[in-house]
Amino acid sequence: LTSAFLMKIKSLFIKELFWLSLIIIIFNLNLLWISTIILPDILFVFFLSSGLFFLLKFIKKFKNYKDLYLSLIIFGFAYITKPIAQFLPFFLSFYLLFFLYSIKRSFNFKLIYISLLPIVFSFLIASPLYLFNYKNSGKFKLTYHEGGHLLTVVYPCLVNKTGCGVADPIEKRKALNLGQERINEIKDFNIIYNNKKSRQIAEAEIYKEVFYELIRDMNKLQIIQSSFFAYSKLMLHTSLISVFEDHKKSYSEFKFNLKNFKNNINFYTFFWIIFQLALICLRLLQLYGLFLLFKIKENKWISYLLILIMIALIFPTVGIGNFRYRLPIEPILIFLSIIGIENLIKEKKST
């Protein structure tokens, strides 16, 4: 279904290249890898792909508001599937406000109302979760995982000057101990929070509090540097490593082999280098595809939308360079690849 919607997105802009586009979509390593694991990630990508199709259809044709409403409902389901989509409704509202203004050339109630729909739809769809957590803890929270994620995943990565793909176990343990010490300081913690859900949410809030205290004490240049390298890893590391890990091969081993290339070259390292170089070329192709969209006046707002969605989905991964966190933007990257390839083929035919 995800592949079908990605093909539909392609068809909005390109009528040719059916089989080539299908091959690019089906053999995307990140999508293939995540589809073999029992996680909500592949469902999340489905909601993002289908929602993106209906939204692009609305923007490109600007005829049927039903496409907009349907896309926002689907994005609402994406919002409750993975916490990484927490900023998406706000970015979509921001986009719709300026997109509609560029067409209507006036601010009015209808424009503001439609612009707020991404936030309204997402919160309405998520309202049962908010109410359930409020009933059990007294706090309107979508998830109780945020605090633990910040303290035990994001912080240990930010401590590393080059970010990380997987949180350092020593720093992770230190951060977790700090959070646990703060909990132990609260007298009768288990009595005050007398059910599992309320304890989990209370712990998450404490973990978040400790995380921000640690961040305030960190060198800000360190945070910027770590985030930069983490985002670079996220975008430029091939997900082939996930396959090799099943054969007891690690990324650190490949780095060591690369430094001692003449003496340590083997089948796995050679394949890893080939796929790594191919991924870098693919990123250049995707930048080319984005540039081509910008060049066409009627696709300018399409380009803005794709950029905003990518920012909304990778911003929460600050400090984490794991390719798995690239998964939500893979549908957009695939689309940009097809745009780039289509133009290269046209240029070759014209010469």
Side-chain angles (χ1 to χ4, degrees), residues 77-95:
F77 285 111
Y79 177 73
I80 64 173
T81 303
K82 291 280 289 184
I84 200 172
Q86 59 185 305
F87 298 111
L88 185 58
F90 302 97
F91 276 71
L92 291 176
S93 287
F94 176 79
Y95 172 82

Side-chain angles (χ1 to χ4, degrees), residues 275-297:
F275 274 81
Q276 193 62 65
L277 292 174
L279 182 65
I280 293 170
C281 293
L282 194 60
R283 291 290 172 265
L284 294 174
L285 179 65
Q286 288 154 0
L287 285 172
Y288 177 57
L290 186 61
F291 169 73
L292 292 171
L293 279 179
F294 266 115
K295 278 181 65 177
I296 303 172
K297 187 177 180 181

Side-chain angles (χ1 to χ4, degrees), residues 133-300:
N133 287 333
Y134 179 77
K135 182 180 177 182
N136 287 280
S137 68
K139 294 184 178 181
F140 280 102
K141 300 289 293 183
L142 178 62
T143 174
Y144 55 85
H145 296 293
E146 182 184 4
H149 174 77
L150 290 172
L151 185 61
T152 64
V153 179
V154 175
Y155 173 72
C157 284
L158 289 176
V159 170
N160 189 329
K161 290 184 178 180
T162 58
C164 66
V166 179
D168 181 86
I170 297 174
E171 293 295 338
K172 183 176 181 177
R173 174 51 56 187
K174 287 180 182 178
L176 191 58
N177 287 341
L178 287 172
Q180 197 59 51
E181 286 173 10
R182 185 68 59 86
I183 291 171
N184 293 337
E185 290 172 3
I186 301 175
K187 188 178 179 181
D188 299 326
F189 179 83
N190 290 328
I191 297 174
I192 297 171
Y193 303 101
N194 55 12
N195 66 69
K196 183 180 179 181
K197 181 64 69 175
S198 65
R199 280 196 300 274
Q200 288 174 330
I201 292 179
E203 287 174 357
E205 289 298 306
I206 292 169
Y207 287 161
K208 190 195 297 188
E209 182 182 299
V210 173
F211 167 77
Y212 285 117
E213 288 176 5
L214 291 170
I215 289 298
R216 279 195 293 270
D217 293 336
M218 280 184 68
N219 186 311
K220 301 305 179 283
L221 185 61
Q222 156 88 12
I223 296 173
I224 295 170
Q225 179 181 326
S226 176
S227 300
F228 171 78
F229 282 109
Y231 283 130
S232 300
K233 291 177 182 179
L234 182 143
M235 294 301 296
L236 297 174
H237 278 190
T238 173
S239 50
L240 185 70
I241 192 69
S242 61
V243 179
F244 287 165
E245 281 174 349
D246 292 335
H247 297 273
K248 310 302 181 186
K249 301 294 179 182
S250 66
Y251 180 72
S252 56
E253 179 183 337
F254 290 138
K255 284 202 300 184
F256 175 79
N257 289 346
L258 198 59
K259 290 177 181 178
N260 302 274
F261 188 76
K262 291 183 178 179
N263 300 322
N264 292 293
I265 184 65
N266 57 41
F267 170 81
Y268 293 104
T269 305
F270 177 76
F271 249 70
W272 172 73
I273 292 171
I274 294 297
F275 274 81
Q276 193 62 65
L277 292 174
L279 182 65
I280 293 170
C281 293
L282 194 60
R283 291 290 172 265
L284 294 174
L285 179 65
Q286 288 154 0
L287 285 172
Y288 177 57
L290 186 61
F291 169 73
L292 292 171
L293 279 179
F294 266 115
K295 278 181 65 177
I296 303 172
K297 187 177 180 181
E298 56 266 29
N299 288 337
K300 182 176 67 174

